[in-house]
């Protein structure tokens, strides 16, 4: 049985896919989970789950993050765990990429985690305790055609993870990164069979991952048993990054 002492977790992008699974698994392990998404309608999917507290917040908007932080301070005091999971992609080859496509992806995938991490970090430093986990992507290390903006944002998260781990380790705060491969969610549902087959050819385990493959790792990284792990990136990709 894993041993948990931390109690309040923020999960961005908690309404669907990987973030919903993370929210559910933490809630089932007695965390108070503040699950964040962009609309009340999308949060309906988790509204009735025990220990989950849905909160509408656009993480690309600083004021919206301030409201989220105020809600957490007023209701729970502080957060012990932050999972920066929310992410979007707006794919295009660089020659055709509009600056809005670049900026929007950076605002959600990299600037959002920066602002939210900064907001919750002060309390973690004061408490000398905290877990921050960033959800990156193998695109962040390998790059991907047509995903210059997405890959740059995810590579930025990897570098942010390592830098912050060095800064706050002495405060007993761990900062880690998970780099999923191809996971079955809305984000990958639109891929054609041909594209999926191309990916499957590169995956030694010959299947797409499931959100629970990520959720289980998050649960471990939040436990006391993971207290000596920081600044690391864990590839959960069926071996895809080996190729
Ligand atoms: P998804 O099914 O598309 O869900 C995205 C989640 O992010 C939704 O809950 C969405 O909320 C939320 N979100 C989007 N923009 C937001 C914003 N501005 N503010 C707050 N929340 C926002 O995605 P997923 O596949 O679960 O992916 C989760 C993370 O894993 C992402 O960072 C993604 O880049 C990364 N990842 C996924 C894969 C994969 O194969 N699926 C692979 C590598 C990395 P709404 O419901 O309100 O839209």
């Amino acid at each position: 049985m894993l041993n948990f002492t931390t109690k309040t977790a923020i999960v961005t992008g908690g309404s669907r896919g990987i973030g919903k699974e993370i929210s559910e698994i933490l809630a089932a392990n007695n965390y108070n989970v503040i699950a964040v998404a962009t609309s009340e309608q999308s949060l309906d999917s988790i509204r009735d789950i025990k220990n989950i507290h849905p909160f509408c917040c656009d993480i690309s908007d600083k004021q919206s993050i301030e409201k989220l932080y105020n809600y957490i301070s007023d209701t729970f005091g502080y957060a012990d765990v932050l999972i920066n999971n929310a992410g979007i992609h707006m794919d295009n080859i660089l020659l055709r990429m509009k600056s809005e496509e670049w900026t929007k992806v950076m605002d959600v995938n990299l600037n959002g985690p920066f602002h939210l991490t900064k907001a919750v970090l002060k309390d973690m430093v004061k408490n000398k305790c905290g877990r921050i986990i960033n959800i990156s992507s193998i695109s962040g290390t390998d790059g991907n055609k047509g995903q210059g903006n997405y890959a740059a944002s995810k590579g930025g998260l990897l570098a942010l993870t390592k830098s912050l781990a060095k800064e706050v380790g002495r405060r007993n705060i761990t900062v880690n990164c998970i780099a999923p491969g191809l996971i079955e969610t809305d984000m990958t549902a639109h891929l054609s069979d041909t594209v999926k087959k191309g990916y499957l050819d590169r995956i030694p385990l010959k299947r797409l991952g499931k959100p629970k493959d990520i959720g289980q790792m998050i649960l471990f990284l939040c436990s006391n048993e993971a207290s000596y792990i920081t600044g690391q990136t864990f590839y959960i990709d069926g071996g895809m990054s080996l190729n």
Side-chain angles (χ1 to χ4, degrees):
M1 185 78 178
L2 297 174
N3 184 7
F4 297 92
T5 52
T6 48
K7 284 287 171 255
T8 299
I10 307 168
V11 181
T12 66
S15 60
R16 295 187 276 126
I18 294 170
K20 180 169 185 247
E21 179 72 29
I22 295 170
S23 299
E24 286 176 340
I25 204 164
L26 290 178
N29 281 276
N30 292 325
Y31 279 82
N32 281 316
V33 177
I34 298 106
V36 171
T38 59
S39 76
E40 295 293 348
Q41 195 188 357
S42 99
L43 287 165
D44 282 345
S45 62
I46 48 164
R47 211 170 286 289
D48 298 329
I49 302 173
K50 190 180 164 215
N51 293 342
I52 293 190
H53 309 267
F55 194 88
C56 195
C57 166
D58 176 356
I59 60 157
S60 67
D61 175 30
K62 245 180 108 178
Q63 284 183 336
S64 195
I65 286 185
E66 270 168 35
K67 282 186 194 149
L68 168 62
Y69 178 72
N70 290 339
Y71 164 72
I72 291 162
S73 295
D74 294 347
T75 317
F76 303 97
Y78 53 84
D80 304 282
V81 170
L82 169 62
I83 315 291
N84 282 312
N85 163 77
I88 57 165
H89 64 98
M90 297 174 89
D91 300 349
N92 218 336
I93 57 166
L94 207 75
L95 273 176
R96 288 203 199 121
M97 189 174 287
K98 299 186 187 80
S99 51
E100 300 82 60
E101 290 170 332
W102 175 270
T103 305
K104 182 68 192 167
V105 169
M106 286 296 166
D107 281 346
V108 176
N109 294 7
L110 188 56
N111 296 339
F114 162 70
H115 291 301
L116 187 50
T117 302
K118 233 184 122 177
V120 302
L121 196 58
K122 278 184 211 143
D123 291 324
M124 289 182 177
V125 166
K126 212 186 313 157
N127 298 337
K128 292 202 170 55
C129 177
R131 297 288 160 92
I132 297 169
I133 304 168
N134 296 318
I135 308 297
S136 176
S137 164
I138 59 168
S139 301
T141 40
D142 294 4
N144 202 13
K145 273 189 270 182
Q147 287 199 315
N149 49 359
Y150 181 80
S153 70
K154 295 299 186 180
L157 269 184
L158 290 174
L160 175 65
T161 299
K162 291 181 189 176
S163 304
L164 188 59
K166 288 180 181 179
E167 286 180 22
V168 298
R170 68 176 62 201
R171 308 288 184 172
N172 193 35
I173 299 164
T174 68
V175 191
N176 288 293
C177 206
I178 290 180
L182 212 63
I183 308 294
E184 284 175 12
T185 68
D186 292 349
M187 193 177 265
T188 50
H190 68 282
L191 295 175
S192 70
D193 286 346
T194 318
V195 172
K196 271 190 192 152
K197 181 168 180 320
Y199 280 116
L200 284 173
D201 287 344
R202 292 170 47 207
I203 300 174
L205 287 178
K206 296 295 165 209
R207 64 173 178 86
L208 268 57
K210 305 245 184 243
K212 75 169 167 28
D213 295 320
I214 312 294
Q216 291 297 339
M217 186 57 148
I218 295 274
L219 191 60
F220 172 66
L221 288 174
C222 290
S223 70
N224 281 348
E225 283 71 11
S227 64
Y228 200 55
I229 301 173
T230 196
Q232 303 305 307
T233 298
F234 298 93
Y235 292 86
I236 302 182
D237 63 357
M240 188 159 124
S241 52
L242 296 171
N243 293 307

